[in-house]
Amino acid sequence: MTSRLNRLAVAMLATALATLGVTVANPSPASAAMTICYNTSQAGAYAGTANQAASIWNNATVNLTLSANCGSNLRIYQITGGGSYAVRTSLGNGRVYIDTQQAAQYSPLRIMTHEIGHILGLPDNYNGNCAILMSGGSAGTSCTNPYPSTTEANRVSNLFAGTFSATERSTDRSADIFRDSWPAALAPVS
Ligand SMILES: [Zn+2]
């Protein structure tokens, strides 16, 4: 509590100085990027895909850094059947499951960046627009875009802004499960 109050005080001081036109190079160390350690030990064939997705998110956002195998904020699993999905236990924490059968139909990298997007706080948005990452499978199997839109990336950056610690964040919401983002392809007409 004390450190939180201190950080709040520092942030308020920085705001006050900014109002006065004073530039503070590093107003609050506590607002440094939150590291999200992802674990690919059970990601099977998709460990490399997870690394690519992490780079995409790191390049598109500020205030957070996805880092490989330094811990287990986020575990990546390869599964077969049942559909790809994400379980967010709190912002930046949870599990992502990549279904090999769906990854044979849809772009594995788009699935990975989408499911990680849930862990980073984004909901689904099934508008069929391939430029929107969180449109998921609604954009069809031909859509291979793995990049969040500017709006999506900025939303994530904003969610990770501020001075709350990972522990403090973890208490502010219950678990969320995001399923059925990737509808099965229609069975071939016989
Ligand atoms: Zn989804």
Side-chain angles (χ1 to χ4, degrees):
M1 179 58 80
T2 301
S3 66
R4 183 171 167 178
L5 288 174
N6 285 344
R7 272 180 268 148
L8 182 62
V10 170
M12 290 175 68
L13 176 61
T15 301
L17 291 173
T19 303
L20 294 170
V22 177
T23 300
V24 180
N26 188 6
S28 173
S31 67
M34 174 179 169
T35 298
I36 300 169
C37 294
Y38 63 96
N39 186 311
T40 59
S41 64
Q42 294 169 89
Y46 304 111
T49 309
N51 293 335
Q52 287 180 270
S55 292
I56 287 172
W57 276 114
N58 286 342
N59 289 334
T61 59
V62 295
N63 301 328
L64 65 149
T65 303
L66 287 148
S67 185
N69 298 317
C70 57
S72 300
N73 296 107
L74 168 57
R75 289 186 178 277
I76 314 282
Y77 296 87
Q78 174 180 310
I79 59 173
T80 298
S84 304
Y85 66 104
V87 178
R88 182 176 65 207
T89 52
S90 65
L91 185 63
N93 291 279
R95 303 181 296 278
V96 161
Y97 299 84
I98 306 298
D99 179 355
T100 58
Q101 294 175 348
Q102 282 183 334
Q105 295 183 320
Y106 295 93
S107 159
L109 183 55
R110 179 170 164 83
I111 295 175
M112 185 70 76
T113 49
H114 173 105
E115 299 301 342
I116 291 176
H118 286 309
I119 303 300
L120 303 182
L122 296 180
D124 282 309
N125 177 9
Y126 298 140
N127 63 4
N129 184 347
C130 186
I132 304 299
L133 180 61
M134 300 316 286
S135 70
S138 73
T141 55
S142 65
C143 174
T144 61
N145 170 40
Y147 299 102
S149 69
T150 300
T151 299
E152 291 174 313
N154 288 346
R155 171 69 178 147
V156 169
S157 295
N158 289 336
L159 285 172
F160 282 84
T163 60
F164 290 103
S165 70
T167 301
E168 288 166 332
R169 289 171 192 279
S170 70
T171 61
D172 69 359
R173 66 179 309 135
S174 56
D176 290 309
I177 301 176
F178 301 88
R179 284 188 177 278
D180 302 323
S181 297
W182 310 92
L186 292 174
V189 177
S190 58

mmCIF file of all heavy atoms in Angstrom, residues 2 5 12 22 40 68 75-76 80 91 96 111 114 118 123 142:
data_model
loop_
_atom_site.group_PDB
_atom_site.id
_atom_site.type_symbol
_atom_site.label_atom_id
_atom_site.label_comp_id
_atom_site.label_asym_id
_atom_site.label_seq_id
_atom_site.Cartn_x
_atom_site.Cartn_y
_atom_site.Cartn_z
ATOM 1 N N THR A 2 1.919 1.192 0.826
ATOM 2 C CA THR A 2 2.788 2.362 0.902
ATOM 3 C C THR A 2 3.428 2.656 -0.445
ATOM 4 O O THR A 2 3.423 3.792 -0.915
ATOM 5 C CB THR A 2 3.884 2.153 1.968
ATOM 6 O OG1 THR A 2 3.254 1.924 3.216
ATOM 7 C CG2 THR A 2 4.770 3.375 2.052
ATOM 8 N N LEU A 5 1.000 4.122 -2.807
ATOM 9 C CA LEU A 5 0.759 5.534 -2.534
ATOM 10 C C LEU A 5 1.939 6.370 -3.005
ATOM 11 O O LEU A 5 1.757 7.460 -3.558
ATOM 12 C CB LEU A 5 0.515 5.747 -1.032
ATOM 13 C CG LEU A 5 -0.847 5.238 -0.515
ATOM 14 C CD1 LEU A 5 -0.916 5.359 0.984
ATOM 15 C CD2 LEU A 5 -1.976 6.018 -1.169
ATOM 16 N N MET A 12 1.433 11.913 -9.534
ATOM 17 C CA MET A 12 0.764 13.213 -9.395
ATOM 18 C C MET A 12 1.774 14.348 -9.542
ATOM 19 O O MET A 12 1.492 15.358 -10.174
ATOM 20 C CB MET A 12 0.063 13.300 -8.035
ATOM 21 C CG MET A 12 -1.148 12.388 -7.940
ATOM 22 S SD MET A 12 -1.889 12.392 -6.297
ATOM 23 C CE MET A 12 -2.547 14.055 -6.238
ATOM 24 N N VAL A 22 7.344 21.348 -17.264
ATOM 25 C CA VAL A 22 8.615 20.731 -16.908
ATOM 26 C C VAL A 22 8.644 19.305 -17.445
ATOM 27 O O VAL A 22 7.720 18.537 -17.232
ATOM 28 C CB VAL A 22 8.802 20.709 -15.376
ATOM 29 C CG1 VAL A 22 10.101 20.009 -15.003
ATOM 30 C CG2 VAL A 22 8.753 22.125 -14.842
ATOM 31 N N THR A 40 6.539 -21.741 -23.619
ATOM 32 C CA THR A 40 6.219 -22.543 -24.810
ATOM 33 C C THR A 40 6.584 -24.017 -24.631
ATOM 34 O O THR A 40 6.621 -24.756 -25.612
ATOM 35 C CB THR A 40 6.947 -21.984 -26.047
ATOM 36 O OG1 THR A 40 8.367 -22.004 -25.790
ATOM 37 C CG2 THR A 40 6.513 -20.575 -26.368
ATOM 38 N N ALA A 68 10.029 -14.611 -23.754
ATOM 39 C CA ALA A 68 9.929 -16.077 -23.813
ATOM 40 C C ALA A 68 10.589 -16.757 -22.629
ATOM 41 O O ALA A 68 11.723 -16.438 -22.260
ATOM 42 C CB ALA A 68 10.559 -16.589 -25.106
ATOM 43 N N ARG A 75 0.840 -19.471 -20.544
ATOM 44 C CA ARG A 75 1.259 -20.782 -21.049
ATOM 45 C C ARG A 75 0.576 -21.049 -22.379
ATOM 46 O O ARG A 75 -0.625 -20.810 -22.516
ATOM 47 C CB ARG A 75 0.896 -21.886 -20.044
ATOM 48 C CG ARG A 75 1.741 -21.868 -18.784
ATOM 49 C CD ARG A 75 1.421 -23.073 -17.911
ATOM 50 N NE ARG A 75 2.237 -23.119 -16.712
ATOM 51 C CZ ARG A 75 3.487 -23.622 -16.675
ATOM 52 N NH1 ARG A 75 4.022 -24.128 -17.778
ATOM 53 N NH2 ARG A 75 4.177 -23.621 -15.563
ATOM 54 N N ILE A 76 1.350 -21.553 -23.334
ATOM 55 C CA ILE A 76 0.833 -21.872 -24.667
ATOM 56 C C ILE A 76 0.772 -23.393 -24.809
ATOM 57 O O ILE A 76 1.766 -24.078 -24.540
ATOM 58 C CB ILE A 76 1.754 -21.316 -25.777
ATOM 59 C CG1 ILE A 76 2.154 -19.869 -25.495
ATOM 60 C CG2 ILE A 76 1.103 -21.485 -27.141
ATOM 61 C CD1 ILE A 76 1.138 -18.834 -25.807
ATOM 62 N N THR A 80 -5.360 -30.948 -29.915
ATOM 63 C CA THR A 80 -5.969 -31.432 -31.152
ATOM 64 C C THR A 80 -7.450 -31.627 -30.920
ATOM 65 O O THR A 80 -7.851 -32.457 -30.089
ATOM 66 C CB THR A 80 -5.319 -32.754 -31.604
ATOM 67 O OG1 THR A 80 -3.935 -32.518 -31.873
ATOM 68 C CG2 THR A 80 -5.989 -33.267 -32.872
ATOM 69 N N LEU A 91 -5.442 -9.677 -16.457
ATOM 70 C CA LEU A 91 -4.817 -8.995 -17.578
ATOM 71 C C LEU A 91 -3.337 -9.402 -17.681
ATOM 72 O O LEU A 91 -2.564 -9.216 -16.742
ATOM 73 C CB LEU A 91 -4.922 -7.481 -17.394
ATOM 74 C CG LEU A 91 -4.409 -6.648 -18.563
ATOM 75 C CD1 LEU A 91 -5.238 -6.904 -19.821
ATOM 76 C CD2 LEU A 91 -4.428 -5.172 -18.206
ATOM 77 N N VAL A 96 -3.277 -20.109 -23.462
ATOM 78 C CA VAL A 96 -3.741 -20.119 -24.851
ATOM 79 C C VAL A 96 -3.601 -21.531 -25.390
ATOM 80 O O VAL A 96 -2.568 -22.180 -25.199
ATOM 81 C CB VAL A 96 -2.924 -19.119 -25.703
ATOM 82 C CG1 VAL A 96 -3.056 -19.441 -27.189
ATOM 83 C CG2 VAL A 96 -3.370 -17.687 -25.430
ATOM 84 N N ILE A 111 -4.199 -17.084 -35.609
ATOM 85 C CA ILE A 111 -4.843 -17.678 -34.426
ATOM 86 C C ILE A 111 -4.052 -17.316 -33.171
ATOM 87 O O ILE A 111 -4.624 -16.893 -32.156
ATOM 88 C CB ILE A 111 -4.938 -19.218 -34.569
ATOM 89 C CG1 ILE A 111 -5.853 -19.605 -35.730
ATOM 90 C CG2 ILE A 111 -5.449 -19.832 -33.258
ATOM 91 C CD1 ILE A 111 -5.892 -21.109 -36.010
ATOM 92 N N HIS A 114 -4.291 -13.615 -32.233
ATOM 93 C CA HIS A 114 -5.665 -13.360 -31.771
ATOM 94 C C HIS A 114 -5.862 -13.853 -30.348
ATOM 95 O O HIS A 114 -6.368 -13.103 -29.484
ATOM 96 C CB HIS A 114 -6.638 -14.060 -32.732
ATOM 97 C CG HIS A 114 -8.077 -14.038 -32.303
ATOM 98 N ND1 HIS A 114 -9.020 -13.225 -32.886
ATOM 99 C CD2 HIS A 114 -8.736 -14.750 -31.332
ATOM 100 C CE1 HIS A 114 -10.197 -13.418 -32.292
ATOM 101 N NE2 HIS A 114 -10.053 -14.352 -31.348
ATOM 102 N N HIS A 118 -6.595 -11.863 -26.532
ATOM 103 C CA HIS A 118 -7.535 -12.029 -25.414
ATOM 104 C C HIS A 118 -6.810 -11.892 -24.082
ATOM 105 O O HIS A 118 -7.320 -11.275 -23.146
ATOM 106 C CB HIS A 118 -8.217 -13.396 -25.486
ATOM 107 C CG HIS A 118 -9.248 -13.502 -26.563
ATOM 108 N ND1 HIS A 118 -10.258 -12.588 -26.724
ATOM 109 C CD2 HIS A 118 -9.445 -14.436 -27.535
ATOM 110 C CE1 HIS A 118 -11.032 -12.944 -27.740
ATOM 111 N NE2 HIS A 118 -10.557 -14.062 -28.266
ATOM 112 N N PRO A 123 -11.576 -8.194 -26.407
ATOM 113 C CA PRO A 123 -12.699 -9.100 -26.637
ATOM 114 C C PRO A 123 -12.772 -9.479 -28.122
ATOM 115 O O PRO A 123 -12.068 -8.905 -28.952
ATOM 116 C CB PRO A 123 -13.910 -8.241 -26.257
ATOM 117 C CG PRO A 123 -13.488 -6.853 -26.656
ATOM 118 C CD PRO A 123 -11.989 -6.778 -26.414
ATOM 119 N N SER A 142 -9.286 -17.649 -45.635
ATOM 120 C CA SER A 142 -8.325 -17.007 -46.539
ATOM 121 C C SER A 142 -7.626 -15.823 -45.882
ATOM 122 O O SER A 142 -6.612 -15.331 -46.383
ATOM 123 C CB SER A 142 -9.027 -16.541 -47.822
ATOM 124 O OG SER A 142 -9.974 -15.526 -47.522
#
